[in-house]
Amino acid sequence: MYYDDLSAYDYQDADAFTDRESGFYALWYRPAYARLNVGWLEAGRPYSTGAVPAVFVAKLAAVQQVQLMNECLGFHECGLCPEGEAPEGNGEVRIPGATGVAYAAPFLVGHYVTAHGYRPPQAFVDAVLAVDVDAWAAARWPDVPFPWVPEDAERMLE
Ligand SMILES: [Zn+2]
């Protein structure tokens, strides 16, 4: 799947978050915020490259440790790595940006940065740096590590 950076995300209608501790509590809702694509790279498509701050790489990795979302879609293999060496990623990442805008990245976005020199849009870098990872890591069900879950989100125990 390829999408231009900062194009409107329309891959899934709902955003779904899975509870990290239980692995099976989940909630989902149709977002009121706009979603912008970041990091949907594909072999044969040019992408933006360049250095990113080490603190960004570390923080993105920390976010991906605590936030599990849109995992229902199965595994996606990195198309830029040689066959047989490609890591797989499951799900996506949501990062709040300016009011009413969230960035929608595939789980492999961190790998694209560290292994393939991908440089995400500066707005995404800034948004990741602005995440309060400690607060996200402390979130316990029925809360999840994302600030804009609406009151009426559907919750279920699978
Ligand atoms: Zn790769």
Side-chain angles (χ1 to χ4, degrees):
M1 245 151 343
Y2 173 86
Y3 302 106
D4 285 325
D5 276 350
L6 305 182
S7 60
Y9 170 100
D10 59 5
Y11 181 38
Q12 292 288 308
D13 287 340
D15 272 1
F17 291 83
T18 306
D19 174 52
R20 175 169 51 102
E21 287 199 326
S22 69
F24 49 77
Y25 288 110
L27 64 81
W28 66 95
Y29 56 91
R30 188 180 286 259
Y33 49 84
R35 296 172 291 182
L36 299 181
N37 289 309
V38 167
W40 295 87
L41 308 187
E42 205 169 85
R45 299 271 199 158
Y47 58 89
S48 165
T49 60
V52 293
V55 62
F56 161 74
V57 173
K59 195 144 186 189
L60 180 58
V63 166
Q64 297 201 266
Q65 286 285 319
V66 301
Q67 188 195 68
L68 304 178
M69 68 96 47
N70 284 9
E71 288 192 293
C72 52
L73 307 171
F75 287 89
H76 174 80
E77 192 172 72
C78 176
L80 307 177
C81 277
E83 239 184 289
E85 297 169 28
E88 292 179 332
N90 187 6
E92 302 178 15
V93 186
R94 282 296 173 281
I95 304 292
T99 306
V101 176
Y103 298 102
F107 190 83
L108 285 172
V109 65
H111 168 78
Y112 293 145
V113 169
T114 56
H116 300 293
Y118 169 57
R119 194 192 194 294
Q122 186 63 40
F124 178 76
V125 173
D126 292 343
V128 168
L129 290 174
V131 171
D132 185 343
V133 178
D134 290 339
W136 284 25
R140 291 293 176 270
W141 188 260
D143 291 327
V144 296
F146 187 73
W148 296 342
V149 175
E151 292 282 324
D152 62 350
E154 307 254 11
R155 288 183 162 83
M156 87 166 204
L157 167 55
E158 280 176 359

